[in-house]
Amino acid sequence: MTSRIRRAICDQLPQVKSIYHALEVPAKKQQTAAARPLLQWILPATVAQQENHLLESVKSQQFDSTYVEHVQVVHSTGRSAAKVEFHLQPDKFTQHLLQTDPIPFRATDFQEERIVVEFSSPNIAKPFHVGHLRSTIIGNVLANLHKHLGYRTTRLNYLGDWGTQFGLLALGVQLGNVSDAEMRAAPIETLYNAYVAANRAAADDPKLAQQARDLFSALEAGTDATMSGQWQQYRQYTIDELRGVYERLGVSFDSYEWESQYSQRDIGEVLAQLRSAGLLQREQDGREIVVVDQRRVPVIKSDGSTLYLARDIAALLERQQRLQFSRMLYVVDNGQADHFNALFQTAAKLDKRLTDKLQHVKFGRIHGMSTRQGNAIFLSDVLNEARDVMREKRSNSSTTKVNVALNDDELCDILGVSAVLVNVLKQRRQRDHEFSWQQALQVNGDTGIKLQYTHCRLHSLLDNFRHIELAEIKPSWQHLTEEPSDAIDLLYELARFEQCVWQAKEQLEACVLVNYLFGLCNATSRALKRLPVKQEKCLQKQTQRLLLFHAAKRTLQQGMQLLGLKPLDQM
């Protein structure tokens, strides 16, 4: 959008880090329709002591006059921070926002930085339920934002497949005589049912509980080749099924990794490091612990087997060596804060490079998300419910059109998933969230359906005028200033896209982008009402309006895709 203008400014200010993304379009109350477009840089509090020096150095620069008409510095007064206003060449500003085939241009500040995002991470012995939904979709958005901004981004799904509960699972498969065909058909549900059955049986029969422990010991030691082979197969079936859910959610991963990769026989070196660093302490009962903030956190059980923390330390050290990341984000609920505090502090004592590279991206719980029958064991049940409700709404609507590109099931699924995702993502992530079907599926409120509806409206409008070669039309600032103010309002809203993407990344908050897209939809709806195209007789007005709506559709589509949505052309 305004990337070349931003680059022209920040190339002259190499001493100011990240000014490229810190440049903001002023709030609406600071603008008038006749005012010249500008980008402003509000000096952060961290540079307050160098304010005069920075402002003087900015004033002395010669900025590219192709883009920047003049620069004005405003010193801090009272509570108002100092700022620099870059008054832009209006036609260049308009052209960069509205040209139909913009030259791809990406800031290269972050291409040397690798960001690793670990998210979703279900446990294959338990259902993939709505509790995993927030980790999955928040992590996906954060990975998308970093990739969009030019970071080298790696998406990890670290699945739980280890520990004594897997002995119970293996026992349940044996007790139930589960066939390979049954497992392949519905692996997650089959594994879950096998686990529940074995857990119930072992509670009544100590011999079965011991048998489950023996099975896991054999699995851990690698002495039962048949069971190890089956286990590998079950895991692959699980991934195949999970991929179907992830596809519906617009989510993908670069790597599926397993807790069993860091089982006891593989992490002896890490345990030796912990011991030689004096971090492991032996308790009277035989356990070995680390002390974190005066808490005694178990790492090794009294029987010598490792706990989850040990495997997580091993995984983290191995990833640092393999991926050489600049930053690692763990997208996991608030309840795991103590675990990650222990992990980060212990790992950083073993490898100083990890200090300040690790972050637990916390989020609250979703309450009330179930099907209308009150059942919500599996996330797929909730997604199916959303699809079915959308089908009912469409069949009851007099304005429903036939979508020639998709069958009805696909269309309703995309609409239902859009409703669920946006209803969750629009909340601040650390807050607990009460899910409401009624709110999620509204067309008029701030919902995923609204985003899809606006995109469809814009597509339909542009499709009606596809005979006009928009690439041959030159965007005009002067023309837009002569239109109702809704035209300039929408233009400025488009210009805010890049700063909102940056702010969402900085705050690790998807809701920043979601709320921007709601604002974009509102500005678009007002402009569609005040700037009609079909009824307009003046060809110049008509084509300039089409350029504006074409840019609105492109920006909305890009934002929706960053959220993991699949933008529809018809609904």
Side-chain angles (χ1 to χ4, degrees):
M1 304 298 182
T2 57
S3 50
R4 288 188 177 274
I5 298 173
R6 289 170 180 270
R7 177 55 66 197
I9 292 171
C10 70
D11 280 351
Q12 292 299 113
L13 299 168
Q15 74 275 33
V16 183
K17 194 177 179 187
S18 293
I19 191 173
Y20 180 95
H21 298 285
L23 293 166
E24 297 184 4
V25 177
K28 186 175 178 180
K29 61 185 178 184
Q30 298 170 261
Q31 305 161 0
T32 64
R36 311 293 264 181
L38 63 87
L39 288 172
Q40 66 182 14
W41 176 48
I42 299 172
L43 270 64
T46 51
V47 299
Q49 290 183 330
Q50 297 97 42
E51 177 186 318
N52 290 333
H53 173 71
L54 276 171
L55 293 179
E56 286 304 314
S57 68
V58 170
K59 281 166 70 175
S60 67
Q61 297 295 326
Q62 288 293 317
F63 292 92
D64 189 340
S65 60
T66 309
Y67 304 111
V68 181
E69 285 191 337
H70 70 277
V71 178
Q72 183 175 345
V73 301
V74 181
H75 288 269
S76 58
T77 54
R79 293 186 180 180
S80 299
K83 64 181 177 180
V84 182
E85 294 179 346
F86 298 92
H87 293 257
L88 307 178
Q89 208 288 334
D91 278 326
K92 280 293 179 187
F93 175 75
T94 310
Q95 285 167 27
H96 277 290
L97 288 168
L98 301 190
Q99 58 193 351
T100 57
D101 189 20
I103 301 166
F105 188 85
R106 172 175 281 173
T108 55
D109 305 35
F110 311 112
Q111 62 185 359
E112 297 306 314
E113 294 191 40
R114 181 184 290 280
I115 306 297
V116 178
V117 188
E118 183 197 291
F119 61 105
S120 194
S121 302
N123 183 326
I124 70 165
K126 296 177 182 175
F128 187 65
H129 57 78
V130 294
H132 296 112
L133 177 65
R134 246 183 158 174
S135 172
T136 303
I137 62 179
I138 291 171
N140 186 52
V141 175
L142 297 184
N144 288 344
L145 290 170
H146 281 90
K147 185 175 180 181
H148 175 83
L149 289 163
Y151 294 88
R152 291 185 301 146
T153 307
T154 300
R155 306 152 182 267
L156 292 186
N157 196 353
Y158 181 57
L159 292 96
D161 70 327
W162 212 241
T164 50
Q165 73 266 37
F166 292 98
L168 280 168
L169 202 156
L171 176 67
V173 170
Q174 289 183 9
L175 292 175
N177 261 333
V178 178
S179 69
D180 189 65
E182 285 176 280
M183 188 67 73
R184 187 191 292 269
I188 294 175
E189 191 170 351
T190 303
L191 286 168
Y192 175 63
N193 290 337
Y195 174 76
V196 170
N199 205 30
R200 196 177 292 130
D204 297 332
D205 187 343
K207 289 181 181 176
L208 285 177
Q210 185 57 48
Q211 189 180 338
R213 286 192 287 273
D214 294 342
L215 282 168
F216 180 68
S217 296
L219 187 63
E220 189 169 31
T223 55
D224 187 329
T226 302
M227 189 165 69
S228 293
Q230 280 182 328
W231 194 243
Q232 301 267 358
Q233 220 168 19
Y234 296 164
R235 294 192 323 184
Q236 188 55 51
Y237 294 162
T238 301
I239 284 183
D240 291 343
E241 184 176 348
L242 283 171
R243 280 194 175 119
V245 179
Y246 291 137
E247 167 63 24
R248 293 173 76 177
L249 294 171
V251 171
S252 63
F253 292 93
D254 297 305
S255 179
Y256 285 84
E257 299 180 4
W258 301 90
E259 196 182 338
S260 57
Q261 290 171 228
Y262 308 100
S263 61
Q264 190 173 12
R265 67 179 185 274
D266 301 320
I267 62 173
E269 186 182 332
V270 172
L271 297 178
Q273 281 182 268
L274 286 166
R275 289 190 180 100
S276 69
L279 296 174
L280 272 186
Q281 299 180 19
R282 186 174 290 275
E283 299 282 73
Q284 287 185 340
D285 61 3
R287 293 183 305 162
E288 290 184 79
I289 58 97
V290 291
V291 178
V292 179
D293 297 334
Q294 299 182 324
R295 285 191 308 117
R296 306 179 77 78
V297 185
V299 177
I300 301 174
K301 291 193 286 188
S302 54
D303 64 3
S305 58
T306 57
L307 288 163
Y308 188 69
L309 178 59
R311 296 190 286 276
D312 249 13
I313 294 168
L316 176 50
L317 296 175
E318 188 273 334
R319 288 168 185 172
Q320 169 62 30
Q321 186 175 1
R322 170 166 49 103
L323 299 171
Q324 298 292 308
F325 55 78
S326 311
R327 199 169 177 212
M328 171 100 193
L329 305 178
Y330 291 85
V331 186
V332 184
D333 70 82
N334 287 327
Q336 295 296 314
D338 285 344
H339 169 76
F340 284 106
N341 184 43
L343 170 63
F344 296 168
Q345 288 199 39
T346 307
K349 285 173 184 172
L350 290 180
D351 186 342
K352 295 284 191 289
R353 294 173 302 171
L354 292 170
T355 307
D356 300 326
K357 283 187 176 183
L358 310 170
Q359 185 164 357
H360 175 201
V361 182
K362 306 170 188 174
F363 57 86
R365 295 185 174 182
I366 302 175
H367 302 290
M369 183 180 273
S370 64
T371 61
R372 286 172 293 181
Q373 286 72 43
N375 308 315
I377 295 176
F378 298 100
L379 177 59
S380 54
D381 294 337
V382 173
L383 298 182
N384 291 343
E385 177 80 2
R387 179 195 62 208
D388 296 344
V389 172
M390 286 313 305
R391 188 186 292 114
E392 288 174 21
K393 289 174 80 77
R394 275 173 53 77
S395 64
N396 294 334
S397 171
S398 59
T399 58
T400 295
K401 297 177 182 177
V402 175
N403 188 313
V404 294
L406 296 170
N407 67 42
D408 195 58
D409 252 17
E410 285 179 286
L411 180 85
C412 293
D413 195 52
I414 290 171
L415 286 172
V417 168
S418 299
V420 171
L421 259 63
V422 171
N423 191 262
V424 174
L425 290 173
K426 73 179 184 180
Q427 319 292 332
R428 285 269 165 194
R429 61 177 161 80
Q430 289 206 55
R431 291 181 187 162
D432 283 5
H433 166 45
E434 192 70 39
F435 184 83
S436 159
W437 281 112
Q438 185 178 357
Q439 288 179 357
L441 299 167
Q442 285 176 349
V443 176
N444 299 323
D446 286 342
T447 65
I449 308 301
K450 177 182 187 170
L451 301 184
Q452 292 286 11
Y453 175 71
T454 306
H455 189 268
C456 290
R457 277 187 78 187
L458 289 167
H459 176 82
S460 177
L461 170 65
L462 294 163
D463 194 50
N464 286 334
F465 290 90
R466 60 185 177 277
H467 57 280
I468 295 179
E469 279 293 336
L470 292 179
E472 296 172 6
I473 311 299
K474 187 176 181 180
S476 164
W477 166 265
Q478 181 60 36
H479 169 76
L480 292 176
T481 60
E482 294 167 359
E483 290 274 39
S485 61
D486 306 87
I488 292 293
D489 287 349
L490 180 52
L491 188 72
Y492 278 133
E493 202 62 45
L494 296 172
R496 282 194 190 88
F497 177 68
E498 286 171 271
Q499 75 193 51
C500 284
V501 167
W502 174 255
Q503 288 163 1
K505 188 277 297 184
E506 282 288 276
Q507 297 175 34
L508 302 176
E509 285 283 11
C511 67
V512 173
L513 177 58
V514 175
N515 289 325
Y516 165 79
L517 293 177
F518 290 150
L520 176 61
C521 286
N522 293 336
T524 299
S525 296
R526 289 191 296 269
L528 285 166
K529 190 174 181 180
R530 296 287 304 280
L531 308 168
V533 179
K534 193 172 182 180
Q535 298 90 336
E536 182 52 61
K537 303 299 182 196
C538 173
L539 183 61
Q540 187 190 26
K541 282 188 175 183
Q542 197 177 59
T543 54
Q544 291 292 319
R545 290 174 184 180
L546 283 170
L547 282 177
L548 189 62
F549 293 129
H550 180 275
K553 183 196 173 203
R554 181 179 62 214
T555 305
L556 178 57
Q557 179 181 44
Q558 198 169 21
M560 290 171 71
Q561 288 169 339
L562 287 173
L563 296 180
L565 305 185
K566 298 168 187 170
L568 290 167
D569 292 339
Q570 291 175 293
M571 60 182 276

